């Protein structure tokens, strides 16, 4: 079996001949295991372009008309009376055991999902459901007809639902950079422009090799009536040439390309801002550290570029091993800031594995992982890995030509095009607009996983639903995520809830939206105001689609607050909430109860009374001990006016003894008519303060069952001989109630 060839991308001087011999052994090997492959490439410090040689063109596809309805998939529409469709859907998912693929809350209320016959029948008879209709195949959102004469879109593009046999997508308004061997700037099927030439500075970034032009075509070949179409047809592609005509280059040239892409974000010219970078190159690198601690200059460059808002899509590599092998990772594939793409095979643009083996390479199969593809073997690697078609991919070539190649180099541009569409398609902002690079990686992984659940046939052998032990290729990315989003967002839940009382003064306020939001616009649209009109300041945080305000200072006790999200809040696609959402809640009040009376159980009054226990002022309530046997003092304070609805309770006693004695503090539990010990210690002539909170149901320590009642706190001290007297300075109960 001929394996994908590698091209070195760094200059090696006198060692070039030796390295080429090692690479030749890699290419010629018939059954090369990863361990042996690693041994062969030990010491090779070059970055490697993940590329297979051009091969004969594959068979023409035979498009068929798909059925109008999709078996087992339905759209469920709620009645207009359902106020919280998101919450309702979650309840149905838990009770019926299905997973919704898409949810609706504006034009209609409901969801779409794959349902079993029993689930279908249960939902159809649910009193909150207006009707259940079968799902059907339609043109992809944002799709347009193929131009007359345009061939059927390539299988890989169709396999990701980025096109159908008769339709394709519109151009993205997001600029895409191809950091590679350059791009054929005159190719009639590309909207390409020169960005940066890091090999021959000052010269156009034209392609004198072919690899970069092939990548560019998969991303954005035009829907112009000839040639082929890419994932995002007609999208503007900027060429960054970092590799020469032999496919060689240096790390500094690669970093030059990354640096240029980042600089476009702040050069004052918005027309050249690079949003997406495709890097179908890589090789052995340093162990990966965090952005803050890395000493790898390429990693640092990507860290800074992602911080500037650039989204990186990179190839996983073609060694058939784990790209995230910690001692010697493949980079940039192992960088967690990048969306790393493994390759799978597809021969007919349809799921199911019935298309036959790809014809340009032996040893590959339809809808199966590519034998040459690198994969993730760690949890960290899995967190930024997806899959895309990478076997026998036909795309553009220099000189206005076309050619077929295989490799993860060919898989990555499928995702780069999908990312561009997700950011913007036509004149409409997409679902990824406003997302940080990290959030976009999370979205692509999550949407691929969700689509694998809603459409189990969509995946491939080797994906997480049909895994290979120790090899993670990721879910097949779904380009359907990139359709135009025109629906207004909705609020699924708020906390505290509307009308809630007894909210902690240390609490936060959270709002769960049904989709990713424009964080800046949504934070600006939120307000929290006390009943006297005083606004509450704080800091915002986000967890997925949930926004949380943490007030800068504790909320006032026993106060009413109104939270509001105005209609100016926007989702990531720029759609406004449209209507204001306001709700109110009330915080807990903190109160203090003091003794209204004292009762001596053992011993005798020496002096003072309850008034001496109301403040820490060295004014004492004195109780004499018994004079025979074990000398004992025991008394309790009656603290009245304590709410049965209390939410917290802390008891404080401060006192001393004329002689050292063993002091115990207890509270009366009315439900069991017994004293419950809280503290035991030795006290003497120095004052000691005890603070304790009873456990269990707090209302058990308050008399009665409603309204205000009494709490009793006992102080007992014992000594084996010699009389003494105990002196109490302070006794109080601090509690919270709604």
């Amino acid at each position: 079996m001929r394996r994908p060839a590698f091209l070195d991308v760094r200059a090696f001087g006198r060692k070039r001949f030796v390295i080429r011999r090692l690479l030749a052994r890699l290419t010629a090997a018939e059954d090369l295991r990863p361990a042996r492959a690693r041994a062969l490439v030990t010491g090779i410090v070059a970055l490697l372009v993940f590329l297979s040689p051009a091969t004969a063109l594959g068979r023409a596809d035979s498009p068929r008309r798909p059925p109008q309805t999709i078996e087992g998939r339905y759209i469920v529409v709620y009645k207009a009376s359902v106020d919280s469709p998101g919450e309702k859907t979650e309840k149905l998912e838990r009770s019926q055991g299905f997973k919704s693929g898409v949810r609706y809350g504006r034009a209609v209320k409901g969801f779409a999902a794959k349902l079993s016959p029993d689930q279908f029948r249960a939902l159809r008879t649910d009193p909150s459901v207006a009707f259940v209709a079968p799902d059907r195949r339609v043109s992809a959102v944002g799709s347009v007809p193929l131009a007359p004469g345009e061939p059927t879109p390539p299988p890989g593009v169709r396999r990701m639902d980025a096109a159908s046999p008769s339709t394709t997508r519109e151009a993205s308004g997001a600029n895409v950079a191809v950091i590679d061997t350059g791009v054929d700037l005159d190719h009639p099927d590309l909207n390409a422009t020169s960005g940066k030439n890091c090999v021959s500075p000052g010269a156009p970034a034209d392609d004198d090799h072919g690899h970069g032009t092939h990548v560019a075509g998969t991303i954005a070949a035009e829907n112009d009536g000839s040639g082929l179409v890419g994932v995002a047809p007609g999208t503007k592609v900027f060429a960054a040439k970092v590799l020469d005509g032999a496919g060689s280059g240096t790390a500094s040239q690669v970093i030059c390309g990354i640096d240029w892409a980042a600089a476009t974000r702040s050069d004052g010219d918005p027309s050249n801002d690079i949003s997406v970078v495709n890097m179908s190159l890589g090789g052995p690198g340093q162990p990966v550290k965090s952005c803050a601690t890395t000493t790898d200059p390429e990693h640092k460059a990507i860290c800074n570029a992602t911080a500037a808002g650039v989204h990186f899509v990179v190839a996983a590599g073609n060694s058939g091993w784990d790209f995230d092998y910690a001692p010697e990772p493949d980079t940039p594939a192992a960088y967690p800031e990048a969306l790393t793409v493994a390759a799978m095979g597809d021969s007919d643009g349809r799921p199911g594995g019935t298309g036959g083996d790809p014809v340009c390479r032996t040893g590959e199969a339809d809808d199966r992982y590519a034998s040459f593809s690198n994969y993730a073997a760690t949890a960290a690697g899995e967190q930024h890995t997806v899959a895309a078609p990478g076997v026998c991919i036909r795309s553009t070539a220099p000189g206005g030509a076309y050619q077929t190649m295989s490799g993860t180099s060919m898989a990555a541009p499928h995702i780069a095009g999908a990312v561009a569409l997700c950011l913007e398609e036509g004149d409409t902002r997409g679902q990824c607009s406003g997302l940080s690079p990290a959030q976009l990686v999370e979205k692509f992984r999550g949407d691929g996983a969700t689509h694998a659940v809603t459409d189990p046939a969509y995946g491939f052998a080797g994906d997480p639903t049909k895994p290979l032990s120790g090899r993670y290729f990721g879910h097949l990315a779904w380009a359907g995520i990139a359709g135009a989003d025109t629906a207004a967002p909705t609020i699924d839940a708020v906390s505290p809830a509307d009308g809630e009382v007894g909210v902690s003064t240390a609490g936060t306020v959270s709002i769960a939206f049904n989709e990713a939001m424009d964080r800046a616009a949504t934070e600006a649209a939120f307000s929290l105001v006390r009943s006297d009109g005083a606004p509450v300041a704080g800091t915002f945080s986000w967890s997925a689609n949930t926004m949380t305000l943490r007030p800068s200072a504790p909320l006032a006790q026993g106060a009413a607050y109104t939270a509001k999200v105005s209609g100016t809040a926007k989702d990531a696609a720029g759609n406004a909430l449209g209507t204001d959402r306001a709700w109110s809640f009330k915080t807990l009040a903190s109160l203090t109860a003091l003794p209204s009376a004292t009762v001596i159980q053992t011993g005798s009054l020496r002096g003072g009374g309850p008034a001496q226990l109301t403040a820490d002022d060295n004014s004492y309530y004195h109780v004499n001990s018994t004079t025979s046997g074990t000398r004992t003092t025991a008394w309790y304070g009656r603290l009245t006016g304590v709410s049965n609805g209390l939410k917290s309770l802390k008891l404080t006693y401060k006192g001393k003894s004329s002689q050292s004695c063993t002091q115990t503090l207890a509270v009366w539990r009315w439900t069991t008519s017994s004293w419950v010990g809280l503290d035991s210690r030795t006290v003497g002539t120095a004052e000691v303060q005890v603070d304790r909170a009873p456990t269990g149901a707090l209302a058990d320590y308050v008399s009665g069952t409603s309204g205000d009642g009494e709490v009793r706190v006992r102080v007992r001290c014992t000594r084996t001989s010699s009389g003494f007297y105990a002196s109490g300075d302070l006794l109080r109960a601090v509690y919270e109630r709604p």
Side-chain angles (χ1 to χ4, degrees):
M1 180 183 72
R2 181 178 178 84
R3 292 188 173 269
F6 289 108
L7 296 179
D8 61 296
V9 297
R10 294 182 182 173
F12 302 110
R14 289 177 294 177
K15 297 181 180 179
R16 189 185 300 269
F17 176 74
V18 175
I19 294 170
R20 284 178 174 171
R21 291 192 63 183
L22 290 174
L23 296 177
R25 293 180 65 186
L26 282 170
T27 304
E30 290 296 322
D31 186 20
L32 193 60
R33 298 183 181 276
R36 178 58 177 157
R38 288 195 183 281
L40 286 175
V41 297
T42 299
I44 298 178
V45 298
L47 290 169
L48 301 174
V49 174
F50 300 136
L51 165 69
S52 74
T55 60
L57 299 182
R59 294 188 297 249
D61 295 295
S62 301
R64 62 180 178 82
R65 184 177 179 82
Q68 291 183 336
T69 61
I70 305 173
E71 183 178 359
R73 292 179 61 179
Y74 298 91
I75 299 171
V76 179
V77 177
Y78 295 132
K79 294 177 181 177
S81 58
V82 175
D83 292 329
S84 301
E87 294 180 8
K88 176 63 177 178
T89 300
E90 290 174 1
K91 291 179 180 178
L92 288 174
E93 287 177 334
R94 290 192 295 268
S95 64
Q96 297 297 328
F98 65 86
K99 182 67 176 178
S100 59
V102 182
R103 295 184 184 181
Y104 315 107
R106 185 69 175 178
V108 293
K109 298 178 180 180
F111 61 90
K114 187 174 181 63
L115 304 174
S116 68
D118 288 343
Q119 292 166 339
F120 167 75
R121 286 189 289 270
L123 291 172
R124 190 174 57 179
T125 58
D126 189 295
S128 63
V129 173
F131 59 86
V132 181
D135 203 352
R136 61 186 177 85
R137 296 192 182 279
V138 296
S139 298
V141 176
S143 65
V144 295
L146 287 173
E150 186 74 50
T152 297
V157 178
R158 287 184 281 124
R159 185 64 174 83
M160 294 172 53
D161 286 348
S164 74
S166 60
T167 63
T168 188
R169 306 297 283 271
E170 295 183 83
S172 171
N175 293 328
V176 181
V178 174
I179 296 181
D180 210 294
T181 61
V183 175
D184 180 0
L185 303 175
D186 299 317
H187 199 292
D189 218 2
L190 296 174
N191 178 16
T193 189
S194 181
K196 182 76 171 181
N197 192 327
C198 297
V199 177
S200 300
D206 232 323
D207 188 4
D208 51 2
H209 179 277
H211 186 261
T213 300
H214 195 282
V215 167
T218 298
I219 295 170
E222 295 183 340
N223 179 23
D224 57 2
S226 63
L228 49 80
V229 295
V231 174
T235 297
K236 193 170 187 178
V237 174
F238 285 74
K241 184 174 178 61
V242 301
L243 310 176
D244 62 20
S248 297
T250 64
S252 61
Q253 290 170 338
V254 173
I255 295 169
C256 164
I258 298 170
D259 184 67
W260 161 77
T264 64
R265 309 284 296 184
S266 57
D267 63 2
D269 179 8
S271 68
N272 73 345
D273 285 2
I274 298 300
S275 297
V276 185
V277 166
N278 188 98
M279 292 178 65
S280 289
L281 49 80
Q286 299 180 20
V288 178
K289 300 179 181 179
S290 70
C291 284
T293 62
T294 184
T295 56
D296 178 351
E298 183 183 352
H299 187 199
K300 195 70 172 179
I302 286 183
C303 287
N304 292 336
T306 54
V310 181
H311 303 276
F312 283 83
V313 179
V314 304
N318 296 339
S319 302
W321 62 35
D322 46 335
F323 67 77
D324 52 356
Y325 177 64
E328 187 185 299
D330 291 311
T331 59
Y335 298 153
E337 295 74 27
L339 184 56
T340 301
V341 188
M344 51 80 69
D346 176 79
S347 60
D348 61 355
R350 297 189 290 266
T354 59
D357 295 344
V359 298
C360 79
R361 286 182 57 83
T362 59
E364 306 298 339
D366 183 37
D367 295 319
R368 193 199 71 180
Y369 69 95
S371 64
F372 54 79
S373 179
N374 285 359
Y375 50 84
T378 66
E382 292 179 7
Q383 293 306 306
H384 61 104
T385 300
V386 295
V391 179
C392 300
I393 304 301
R394 185 171 182 263
S395 187
T396 49
Y402 301 88
Q403 67 180 134
T404 298
M405 296 182 180
S406 295
T408 56
S409 277
M410 286 63 251
H414 284 85
I415 303 302
V419 169
L421 288 174
C422 194
L423 292 169
E424 183 177 341
E425 182 174 0
D427 296 324
T428 305
R429 297 173 67 186
Q431 295 179 9
C432 294
S433 177
L435 298 186
S436 69
Q439 292 167 334
L440 185 141
V441 169
E442 180 182 354
K443 178 173 177 58
F444 262 72
R445 290 187 67 253
D447 286 352
T450 298
H451 200 65
V453 173
T454 58
D455 186 1
Y458 181 75
F460 62 95
D463 73 12
T465 68
K466 298 174 279 292
L468 274 70
S469 178
R471 304 185 191 183
Y472 184 90
F473 296 95
H475 287 284
L476 177 61
W478 181 47
I481 59 174
D485 177 8
T486 59
T490 59
I491 294 176
D492 287 344
V494 297
S495 177
D498 189 18
E500 185 173 344
V501 296
V503 175
S504 171
T505 57
T508 60
V509 180
S510 297
I511 308 97
F513 296 92
N514 70 321
E515 60 178 306
M517 301 295 290
D518 181 325
R519 296 187 174 186
T522 304
E523 290 171 10
F526 177 80
S527 63
L528 179 62
V529 180
R530 201 168 59 205
S531 56
D532 60 1
V536 177
T539 57
F540 290 99
S541 62
W542 288 81
S543 176
N545 300 335
T546 299
M547 181 182 75
T548 299
L549 174 78
R550 182 173 297 280
S552 302
L555 300 176
Q557 299 174 10
Y561 288 86
T562 298
K564 178 181 176 181
V565 180
S566 74
T568 59
K570 297 178 181 179
D571 62 19
N575 302 302
L577 188 64
T579 57
D580 295 349
R581 171 73 179 273
W583 68 103
S584 299
F585 60 89
K586 189 175 181 180
T587 57
L588 290 167
S590 181
L591 302 173
T592 300
L594 299 170
S596 60
T598 55
V599 176
I600 297 175
Q601 293 180 308
T602 306
S604 60
L605 178 65
R606 184 181 181 91
Q612 277 65 51
L613 294 167
T614 59
D616 180 10
D617 57 2
N618 295 324
S619 176
Y620 296 99
Y621 172 64
H622 302 288
V623 177
N624 291 318
S625 70
T626 57
T627 57
S628 62
T630 299
R631 276 52 170 182
T632 304
T633 64
W635 61 272
Y636 64 85
R638 300 175 60 189
L639 292 77
T640 55
V642 179
S643 171
N644 266 273
L646 76 173
K647 299 297 183 181
S648 67
L649 176 62
K650 185 179 78 170
L651 303 173
T652 297
Y653 173 71
K654 188 174 185 179
K656 61 182 180 177
S657 176
S658 64
Q659 299 281 343
S660 179
C661 63
T662 300
Q663 173 186 286
T664 58
L665 190 71
V667 62
W668 181 254
R669 182 154 55 196
W670 296 86
T671 53
T672 58
S673 299
S674 61
W675 291 104
V676 177
L678 299 177
D679 182 78
S680 179
R681 66 180 68 204
T682 299
V683 298
T685 57
E687 279 194 354
V688 175
Q689 181 168 315
V690 180
D691 295 292
R692 290 291 183 268
T695 59
L698 299 181
D700 291 351
Y701 303 106
V702 185
S703 65
T705 57
S706 63
D708 294 339
E710 177 183 319
V711 173
R712 293 181 178 179
V713 181
R714 185 180 72 177
V715 182
R716 188 172 187 270
C717 214
T718 60
R719 180 179 168 85
T720 57
S721 63
S722 181
F724 66 95
Y725 62 90
S727 303
D729 190 11
L730 175 68
L731 178 63
R732 69 184 175 201
V734 177
Y735 64 97
E736 291 180 313
R737 65 167 176 78

